[in-house]
Amino acid sequence: MTPEQYVQQKAAASGSSFYYAFLFLPPARRAAITAFYAFCREVDDVVDDAQDPGVARTKLAWWDGEVAQAYRGQPSHPVLKALMPHATEYGIEAAHLHAVVQGCQMDLEQTRYLDFAGLSRYCHLVAGIVGEVAARIFGQADARTTEYAHRLGLAFQLTNIIRDVGEDALRGRIYLPVSELQQFDVKAHEILQRTYSERFTALMRFQAERAHRLYDEALALLPASERRTQKPGLMMASIYRTLLREIERDDFQVLHQRIALTPLRKLWLAWKVQALGRL
């Protein structure tokens, strides 16, 4: 299996909404974003699949070293072998990849965030940086697009957090800020035990409203001249925001299940943005 086949298989197997946006890119850009996304998945899987935090730390340290080695011209993992030919052309820096690894390391060290400011720092590493790199690969020509990409990445990550509250709780993680749990009088043990209440629903509604504000802010930040090149990001915005609305319609029943859109619906939403320019 070639490195290119490996990253393609990794991206397709994830079933992520990102994959559907990649399908509409020209071949070179599609190859670059597929390799970058596969890198993010590999690093994230180290934490998600870890039974032993010590082993996970060792693996993440290996990835940090592998990134450094790749930028010295000696990648050994197929993901970085697939990614490095695109790094210079699309401005993918070693610091970007190290930041993704650092964000995943935070998952091993921290399972709670005291306030939204602390959560935002984590989101910056695991989502904002990803958005920044993706915008470059898509064809960014205006520096202002970076701020849009970071804001949209934050909206995506908050949507993921809302969707995955129950799943994350099984791993002992609660990303909802402690100060906001206290504000709505929701106890951590209620989430860990999958206990629904009006208080929990109010807390989740508060989270969803903030995510919607971030989507609106991100779209307002995107320069009009960049809307065509940044269509893949807009496709993802359409898919993720539709998912968020589905979760709202289901009254935030996220503690015992993972609410998702069908592949066909994701493809339809992506095509609609591509063909009609509508979110």
Side-chain angles (χ1 to χ4, degrees):
M1 181 184 294
T2 67
E4 290 72 25
Q5 289 169 332
Y6 181 92
V7 296
Q8 175 65 29
Q9 187 177 84
K10 186 77 178 179
S14 73
S16 168
S17 302
F18 288 75
Y19 178 70
Y20 295 89
F22 303 166
L23 298 175
F24 296 91
L25 283 166
R29 295 187 192 278
R30 185 166 68 244
I33 194 65
T34 300
F36 175 63
Y37 178 73
F39 168 80
C40 295
R41 282 260 43 93
E42 288 280 356
V43 175
D44 193 52
D45 287 348
V46 168
V47 177
D48 285 348
D49 298 342
Q51 302 297 319
D52 182 339
V55 172
R57 288 186 191 93
T58 300
K59 288 182 177 179
L60 289 178
W62 182 88
W63 275 108
D64 248 345
E66 172 67 4
V67 169
Q69 185 172 306
Y71 276 84
R72 290 194 296 268
Q74 298 175 310
S76 62
H77 194 280
V79 160
L80 284 166
K81 286 182 178 180
L83 180 60
M84 292 315 296
H86 306 284
T88 300
E89 182 176 359
Y90 298 119
I92 306 168
E93 302 167 9
H96 291 134
L97 305 190
H98 286 304
V100 173
V101 176
Q102 184 185 346
C104 291
Q105 286 170 336
M106 285 183 71
D107 272 330
L108 296 176
E109 312 299 335
Q110 196 165 346
T111 58
R112 303 283 193 280
Y113 291 89
L114 290 178
D115 52 28
F116 184 64
L119 179 63
S120 295
R121 285 191 287 276
Y122 165 76
C123 293
H124 167 75
L125 295 172
V126 299
I129 294 293
V130 174
E132 179 180 331
V133 173
R136 293 183 180 199
I137 293 171
F138 296 156
Q140 175 181 350
D142 189 320
R144 292 176 297 171
T145 298
T146 299
E147 189 178 354
Y148 144 84
H150 276 270
R151 197 71 55 93
L152 190 60
L154 179 55
F156 289 163
Q157 190 63 24
L158 294 184
T159 303
N160 283 340
I161 287 170
I162 291 167
R163 178 195 64 194
D164 296 340
V165 170
E167 202 171 277
D168 289 331
L170 291 175
R171 298 188 176 106
R173 298 183 204 144
I174 299 176
Y175 290 100
L176 305 173
V178 172
S179 62
E180 293 171 8
L181 291 174
Q182 293 171 342
Q183 179 184 339
F184 289 89
D185 193 29
V186 174
K187 306 295 189 288
H189 72 81
E190 293 177 303
I191 293 176
L192 296 172
Q193 293 170 8
R194 301 182 172 192
T195 303
Y196 291 102
S197 65
E198 289 182 5
R199 292 171 287 107
F200 174 76
T201 302
L203 168 66
M204 297 307 290
R205 191 173 294 116
F206 177 81
Q207 306 298 320
E209 287 169 357
R210 176 163 53 208
H212 279 302
R213 283 197 304 276
L214 286 162
Y215 281 113
D216 290 338
E217 290 170 9
L219 295 174
L221 285 167
L222 179 62
S225 61
E226 296 273 81
R227 284 189 67 87
R228 186 181 62 81
T229 59
Q230 297 302 317
K231 268 188 177 181
L234 297 176
M235 291 175 192
M236 290 184 280
S238 178
I239 293 169
Y240 266 78
R241 204 166 191 181
T242 300
L243 171 62
L244 181 58
R245 289 176 179 132
E246 284 291 314
I247 293 169
E248 290 174 304
R249 273 193 286 271
D250 207 27
D251 208 24
F252 301 101
Q253 297 290 297
V254 292
L255 292 176
H256 69 290
Q257 64 181 343
R258 181 188 176 104
I259 297 171
L261 304 181
T262 65
L264 186 59
R265 191 168 180 193
K266 291 178 184 178
L267 188 59
W268 162 248
L269 290 166
W271 178 86
K272 201 163 64 167
V273 173
Q274 173 67 18
L276 307 176
R278 291 208 311 264
L279 269 68

